[in-house]
Amino acid sequence: MNLSDSQTGGSVPRRVSAMEAVLSHLRSAIERGEYAVGDKLPSEAELCRSLEVSRPVLREALRALQTMGLTVSRTGKGTFVVSNGPVVDPTFGDYAASDLIEVRRHVEIPVAGYAAARRTPEDLDHLAHLLDRMERETDTTAWVAMDTLFHLAVAQAAQNPVFRRVIEEIRDALARQSAFLNELGGRREQSNREHRAIVEALIDGSEHDATEAMAHHLDRVETTLTAIVRPESTESPASTKPPTEGETPA
């Protein structure tokens, strides 16, 4: 498989991971009809052998296929193809991505403005500490957990318990979406910068800057998600196998 370094919403090239290569390979095979709707994918052991990747890498790719709505996992039976695409609207937990982003725009953007006007010194200390931890964190799972805490903390700073309750309701979906975007879109560093801009606006007490920073953050989330589910280009049909795990793509 010829995998060039890809970009996701920025000017800095980002290397394609082994999981992304496996996902791209399996997704293309499904979309080309090599695995038809109703077909069962080969077992995890078979796929690991043929694709030369570890089971954790394969399982991440299989979870992404399911999120995209292309497959379903049936306990004790395996993974089955339920759609051959195109992928339009991934599902994160109980909510579709389009529903999540719509609600987040209507809730989190004004919430950021309220937080800029109402935040307490304790709120700012908590957010600054959380952001510092996120910028040092290298483990995706730990970072994703703090990502949801960050958005909860902004809602808390708005001093309206209803806002926090809304974010709590979608917390699991936000975490799933965050993990998806980080695994497939390399969003962590960019997201840290966007979070930093939000916190700086809250420190300044600028409602305008806070809402603008949150709007920009959600714009980038949507842009990255769109780039993942509807890529402008796909791998060549002649490509049949991703690079060995740990191999550097050309």
Side-chain angles (χ1 to χ4, degrees):
M1 180 184 297
N2 180 19
L3 289 175
S4 299
D5 288 342
S6 64
Q7 298 181 21
T8 53
S11 60
V12 179
R14 185 180 61 81
R15 288 202 179 280
V16 175
S17 69
M19 189 276 277
E20 290 173 274
V22 172
L23 172 61
S24 177
H25 169 72
L26 292 175
R27 177 180 177 178
S28 294
I30 291 171
E31 291 175 343
R32 291 195 302 266
E34 292 180 23
Y35 300 114
V37 174
D39 283 355
K40 178 183 175 181
L41 295 184
S43 69
E44 289 187 3
E46 291 177 82
L47 288 172
C48 285
R49 282 196 300 272
S50 64
L51 302 179
E52 300 178 15
V53 294
S54 66
R55 190 156 296 201
V57 166
L58 176 68
R59 286 178 173 172
E60 286 181 7
L62 292 176
R63 281 195 295 270
L65 284 176
Q66 187 164 331
T67 295
M68 290 178 173
L70 296 176
T71 64
V72 64
S73 178
R74 295 172 184 157
T75 304
K77 296 183 178 180
T79 298
F80 294 82
V81 178
V82 294
S83 172
N84 58 6
V87 178
V88 177
D89 200 7
T91 299
F92 299 104
D94 296 330
Y95 304 109
S98 60
D99 292 337
L100 273 178
I101 197 67
E102 181 177 52
V103 167
R104 293 186 72 184
R105 288 190 184 283
H106 283 284
V107 174
E108 292 196 81
I109 293 174
V111 159
Y114 290 129
R118 302 170 181 172
R119 82 288 187 274
T120 66
E122 291 75 20
D123 292 325
L124 295 179
D125 285 345
H126 177 53
L127 280 162
H129 177 67
L130 189 57
L131 186 56
D132 286 343
R133 289 176 57 199
M134 293 177 74
E135 290 176 339
R136 293 193 304 269
E137 186 57 64
T138 58
D139 179 75
T140 297
T141 300
W143 188 93
V144 164
M146 288 187 282
D147 186 23
T148 58
L149 289 176
F150 177 87
H151 288 275
L152 281 168
V154 174
Q156 179 68 36
Q159 310 301 328
N160 183 329
V162 180
F163 287 139
R164 182 181 174 88
R165 182 64 63 88
V166 171
I167 303 303
E168 283 280 10
E169 168 61 28
I170 62 174
R171 182 176 183 174
D172 177 67
L174 291 181
R176 291 170 185 259
Q177 183 184 69
S178 180
F180 183 81
L181 293 176
N182 276 279
E183 289 166 353
L184 297 177
R187 274 275 304 160
R188 190 186 310 163
E189 290 185 8
Q190 185 180 27
S191 190
N192 281 340
R193 290 193 294 271
E194 293 156 12
H195 286 165
R196 175 67 66 181
I198 292 169
V199 171
E200 289 175 353
L202 298 187
I203 292 171
D204 292 342
S206 172
E207 296 178 50
H208 175 268
D209 289 352
T211 56
E212 287 291 307
M214 184 64 79
H216 174 70
H217 177 51
L218 297 181
D219 284 344
R220 300 314 304 162
V221 167
E222 185 172 20
T223 297
T224 304
L225 184 62
T226 299
I228 293 170
V229 301
R230 293 194 291 276
E232 293 181 357
S233 61
T234 58
E235 62 176 303
S236 167
S239 301
T240 58
K241 194 172 79 170
T244 301
E245 186 176 352
E247 179 181 348
T248 301

